[in-house]
Amino acid sequence: HLITDVSALKNTTTLTLSCCAGITDVSALVNVRALDLSGCHNVTDVSALTNVKILNLLGCDGVRDVSALSNAIALSIAKCTRITDVSALSKLKILNVSHCTGITNMSTVSGVMVLRQEHHVRSAERRAGDITSKLHSLLRLPVGFSPIV
């Protein structure tokens, strides 16, 4: 079955929906704190996710605006080529911008562990580790026991 409607999950706080191509609307997920939407190519609007702390948008190339994610502390926007500005994300501690060719403004994310895994920058990956796997590990933590959520 193809998952298309997530409205029944509105009270969920930790959720993995990776590679669910049928999902287009995540506006019901207002209570989610940790969310993996990697590979959900048809998601374009994440503005309702204002309470999210940990978010994986790897490959969600339809997303253009992440300014509403101002409470996020860990974010992967790897391969999200339409995002240009992350300056509203001042609470971030971890940010994966691998293969994000359009980002022009990172002015307020100083002090953030930023991973840029371009073909010519392999040492950053070795020093910082694989952010996506760290996000997946964080998503597996029970929310009630996580000091960051």
Side-chain angles (χ1 to χ4, degrees), residues 15-37:
L15 191 57
T16 297
L17 294 168
S18 60
C19 298
C20 291
I23 296 174
T24 58
D25 182 8
V26 294
S27 62
L29 302 176
V30 295
N31 293 314
V32 75
R33 300 294 183 269
L35 179 61
D36 182 355
L37 292 173

Side-chain angles (χ1 to χ4, degrees), residues 6-137:
V6 296
S7 61
L9 304 170
K10 64 183 177 186
N11 293 319
T12 304
T13 57
T14 302
L15 191 57
T16 297
L17 294 168
S18 60
C19 298
C20 291
I23 296 174
T24 58
D25 182 8
V26 294
S27 62
L29 302 176
V30 295
N31 293 314
V32 75
R33 300 294 183 269
L35 179 61
D36 182 355
L37 292 173
S38 59
C40 296
H41 302 287
N42 293 316
V43 171
T44 58
D45 183 6
V46 293
S47 62
L49 303 177
T50 58
N51 293 316
V52 74
K53 300 284 186 187
I54 301 165
L55 181 60
N56 187 354
L57 293 173
L58 176 112
C60 294
D61 50 2
V63 175
R64 294 175 184 260
D65 184 12
V66 292
S67 61
L69 305 175
S70 59
N71 288 313
I73 59 168
L75 177 64
S76 175
I77 54 173
K79 298 183 181 180
C80 294
T81 57
R82 296 180 182 179
I83 295 172
T84 59
D85 187 2
V86 294
S87 62
L89 308 177
S90 59
K91 294 182 182 177
L92 282 178
K93 304 291 183 214
I94 302 170
L95 176 63
N96 182 353
V97 294
S98 300
H99 307 288
C100 292
T101 55
I103 293 182
T104 57
N105 189 355
M106 290 184 55
S107 60
T108 60
V109 292
S110 62
V112 175
M113 181 172 65
V114 177
L115 175 63
R116 297 173 197 228
Q117 185 184 352
E118 308 302 335
H119 294 291
H120 59 281
V121 184
R122 294 291 179 193
S123 62
E125 180 183 8
R126 284 191 296 273
R127 284 192 315 269
D130 180 9
I131 280 298
T132 303
S133 69
K134 288 183 183 195
L135 285 169
H136 282 287
S137 296

